[in-house]
Amino acid sequence: MKIPIKQICREFYLLSNRLSLVEKLIYCSFGIVLIRSIYLTIINLWQTIITSILAKSQIIYAIFLGILIFGLGFYLYISRVKYKQNSLEESSLNDDINEPRNIYPEGNYNENININGDYIEIHGDVINIDQNFSEVAQEIRELITELQNQGYSEEDAKTEIATELAEEARKKPKVRKKLFMWKKSFSTNTKKTNDENEVAREVVTSATVYSHTSSKDFTEVVSGCYQKLDELLKARKWEEADLETAKIIYVISHKELPENSPYKTYLTNSFGSEYIKVLPRKDLNNINKLWLKYSNGRFGFSAQKRIWKRLGDGSDTTYNRYEIQKKFGDEVGWRKEGNWLYYSDIYYWRTAQSGHLPILLMLRSGKSERCHIDFEILKVLVERI
């Protein structure tokens, strides 16, 4: 009978991946001891064979028989594991087919929730806990809404989700680590705690109030909330962070504009230096600090200010001199070989020249055109930062 070695190795590999870390360490230690014992036994036996000059040939047969029995036992063990795994998969498949997956107003909602690995599965919706919190928060809000549509109150829906999250956090270290990280980053409660129920509740509560700008349109942004910008910059997603910066400033500043401002009435789709003039200094500085933090001081408004001041000999009034504008463009990498870059040539990378980003806030050109910078906006930024 030909033993399928490749299949045995594959099954052994799959089996090892299903073991926990503690089990892997135990089996690894056992394996090392076993291999060392076999190695020493073989060496001793080989020396005996050499010295005995086949006088005790029965030892050879014993070794051969031992290896054969060990191999046969190993093969039978792997076959048994494979059979058991197939049976479990068939059983799970049948359960999934036969068991309803609806949420009912009555009954235990926890029975419909399962969290596996990097994913949280709730009523057929799979949430990857490795996503940005903004995406997880959106999905949690949608689940709360779904539960409310099924008869739950908002508080009951939050409690059900938080209870299951806490239970899984106690069983799975990765889920627990994520929950505590989210609590530390986004919860307004700074009190330290090791209670999974309390932390899960705060995470669900944070998800319901979490707000950021849409990826397509300007939407409501709560002043002082920069979670998404923080996440994008931390992930080194410079282009998305550049767009998010422009969105945040637009939305916050639009609320601060006077009621008689043309930008508030009929120039609603326009953006100019008037927005920067009314932007609360606290918001401007907070946005700037995030850029400085994640770029090690390479990007941000203050990085641009240093270059502007140096080129203008410390003056803020030289922004309207085209020679200074060109020098500034050359310095920060917005110009190359005497020409302004096209939008597609903006270098969204950490190795870009100092002051290269952010830029979208000041762009007055389309994506198919060369960059046209509104230096009036830069001038106001330099004055206020």
Side-chain angles (χ1 to χ4, degrees), residues 255-281:
K255 295 178 181 179
E256 301 292 332
L257 288 171
E259 291 299 325
N260 61 351
S261 171
Y263 291 98
K264 194 95 169 182
T265 54
Y266 57 88
L267 296 177
T268 54
N269 294 324
S270 301
F271 186 88
S273 59
E274 294 300 318
Y275 281 80
I276 309 301
K277 292 177 181 179
V278 299
L279 179 67
R281 193 181 298 271

Side-chain angles (χ1 to χ4, degrees), residues 366-383:
K367 291 188 175 183
S368 61
E369 303 172 306
R370 291 190 182 275
C371 292
H372 174 66
I373 308 298
D374 188 336
F375 280 92
E376 175 70 26
I377 292 178
L378 180 61
K379 179 227 178 195
V380 179
L381 283 170
V382 168
E383 291 175 342

